[in-house]
Amino acid sequence: MKRRYGISMGVSPREPLSRTAELARAIDERGFEALWFIDFQLGMKDVYAAMNLAALSTDNVLIGAGVTNLVTRHPTVTANATAALDELSGGRAVLGLGAGWSAVLGAGGAPSKLAELRSGIDEFRQLFSGEPCDLYGSQVRLATATRQIPIYLAVSQPAMLQLAAQTCDGVVLMGAADPEFCAWQLEFIHQGLAAAGRDRSELTVDLFVTMSTDDDRQTALDDVRAWAVSQAATFHPWKRMPTAWERFRPEFERAADAYGLVDHLSLQAEHKHIVSDEFVTSVALAGDRDTCVERIRELWQLDIDRITFALLSGGREQRLAQLADDLIANVEAGGEG
């Protein structure tokens, strides 16, 4: 079976939006299956402008927000915008939804609770039906709806993993590019499927991975360190995690105290030296080519359907070429493991 790959990216304030079309075309031509755009209104250019440009510049790749939320935009607004994306792309839109973090906090809101997400998923299903539905205290109908656009939920913790497995078309599996960590998460996905009486084939599991490859290990580590700090900050409130990760709790606390919202994912972030090299190499893929290829092969031994790589800023065309022509090519040359 052919392995499936995706790309996740944001359009930084320093990048012209016009470059989005060029990059999307290159991603599509290289055979990536999905293209996800970060929705962070304070740190990235508008996600819908970027997605619509990508839709008009590509033929095959799936396109979606990776991920949006229920707070910064009302579900009716998101549903209508996603329907427009679906029209422009010829039926290639997907909706990535999450509890919200940087985008929500930046708007003075709070991340959605589990029950709110469950309700929100149901609301999107009703809106995408195109039929009249009783929502928000009245009867509403999304006039632009033409189909049930697939809904993916971004998840990392047990209850969210189970919710996605029970209710969604796909899972954006976030947290770490660590096989042991991912295997722990997948157990909760399997539990959710079983509880809902769903077959595994009804759910697409898309593992999001942040990676940097360089012959100089320290250069690769520093390239992903700011992202690793943002992850460490999100881990701080977790009540449950794999036993092997308990040793990082002091780093999670330091990251939560030092994390700067304005520098979210920035390669120049001042907070990025808070976490250890050991944590960075656990949460991200960083090192020389052989190291990264071997870890990707290990990840493919898990019960996942797609691996999506974050296309970091700074020489994106070069990063894309390295990923597709060198790393993925070498992973595939190794067979099924």
Side-chain angles (χ1 to χ4, degrees):
M1 182 181 295
K2 185 178 184 296
R3 287 165 173 163
R4 300 150 64 183
Y5 295 96
I7 292 290
S8 169
M9 60 179 286
V11 183
S12 81
R14 299 175 297 280
E15 290 181 281
L17 266 171
S18 58
R19 287 193 65 235
T20 303
E22 301 167 15
L23 276 170
R25 189 177 303 112
I27 289 165
D28 193 35
E29 290 173 350
R30 289 180 183 275
F32 287 92
E33 185 178 78
L35 175 55
W36 300 95
F37 284 90
I38 297 170
D39 182 7
F40 177 36
Q41 73 278 8
L42 294 178
M44 304 286 177
K45 291 191 174 178
D46 182 69
V47 65
Y48 286 99
M51 291 194 297
N52 290 341
L53 283 169
L56 294 170
S57 306
T58 56
D59 298 313
N60 300 299
V61 69
L62 302 173
I63 300 171
V67 294
T68 193
N69 62 81
L70 298 171
V71 179
T72 57
R73 295 179 181 88
H74 193 273
T76 56
V77 176
T78 296
N80 189 44
T82 306
L85 173 65
D86 203 48
E87 178 183 341
L88 290 174
S89 65
R92 292 182 283 123
V94 289
L95 173 59
L97 180 66
W101 190 46
S102 56
V104 169
L105 296 176
S112 299
K113 303 295 186 183
L114 194 73
E116 294 169 332
L117 282 165
R118 187 182 294 275
S119 296
I121 292 164
D122 180 64
E123 290 168 21
F124 281 121
R125 297 286 192 208
Q126 294 186 63
L127 292 167
F128 286 144
S129 75
E131 299 295 328
C133 48
D134 294 321
L135 291 173
Y136 320 117
S138 64
Q139 189 174 82
V140 300
R141 174 178 172 268
L142 184 66
T144 58
T146 59
R147 72 179 182 111
Q148 283 291 341
I149 294 173
I151 299 173
Y152 284 65
L153 188 63
V155 292
S156 53
Q157 296 189 66
M160 287 279 283
L161 292 158
Q162 292 170 333
L163 174 63
Q166 292 166 2
T167 62
C168 293
D169 303 290
V171 170
V172 172
L173 189 59
M174 309 184 80
D178 175 77
E180 180 182 357
F181 190 100
C182 294
W184 178 81
Q185 292 177 308
L186 287 166
E187 289 183 11
F188 296 103
I189 289 177
H190 294 152
Q191 290 172 14
L193 288 169
R198 301 182 72 194
D199 189 80
R200 173 64 179 83
S201 64
E202 298 178 59
L203 189 74
T204 298
V205 178
D206 191 344
L207 173 62
F208 273 39
V209 170
T210 296
M211 180 179 68
S212 181
T213 305
D214 197 282
D215 290 338
D216 182 87
R217 179 176 180 271
Q218 199 60 50
T219 298
L221 287 171
D222 288 343
D223 198 28
V224 297
R225 195 178 297 274
W227 175 85
V229 172
S230 73
Q231 288 299 99
T234 65
F235 285 139
H236 178 53
W238 282 34
K239 293 180 173 62
R240 300 171 64 187
M241 65 178 54
T243 303
W245 278 58
E246 291 290 340
R247 69 188 189 278
F248 294 127
R249 285 215 182 259
E251 296 187 44
F252 301 158
E253 183 176 1
R254 292 198 302 271
D257 289 341
Y259 176 72
L261 180 65
V262 71
D263 289 327
H264 180 63
L265 303 185
S266 169
L267 298 183
Q268 289 78 41
E270 291 298 323
H271 56 243
K272 66 182 183 180
H273 296 291
I274 295 296
V275 295
S276 66
D277 287 357
E278 182 186 10
F279 175 71
V280 175
T281 55
S282 295
V283 76
L285 273 172
D288 61 24
R289 183 186 70 183
D290 291 345
T291 298
C292 292
V293 165
E294 181 58 33
R295 179 86 76 86
I296 295 169
R297 288 177 179 163
E298 290 176 11
L299 292 171
W300 272 126
Q301 302 304 309
L302 302 169
D303 184 22
I304 58 176
D305 300 300
R306 185 165 60 225
I307 295 179
T308 288
F309 295 95
L311 191 64
L312 301 176
S313 60
R316 288 193 201 265
E317 293 89 346
Q318 181 181 352
R319 290 182 189 270
L320 180 63
Q322 180 189 50
L323 173 61
D325 301 338
D326 190 9
L327 288 163
I328 291 178
N330 273 278
V331 170
E332 296 305 307
E336 297 297 320

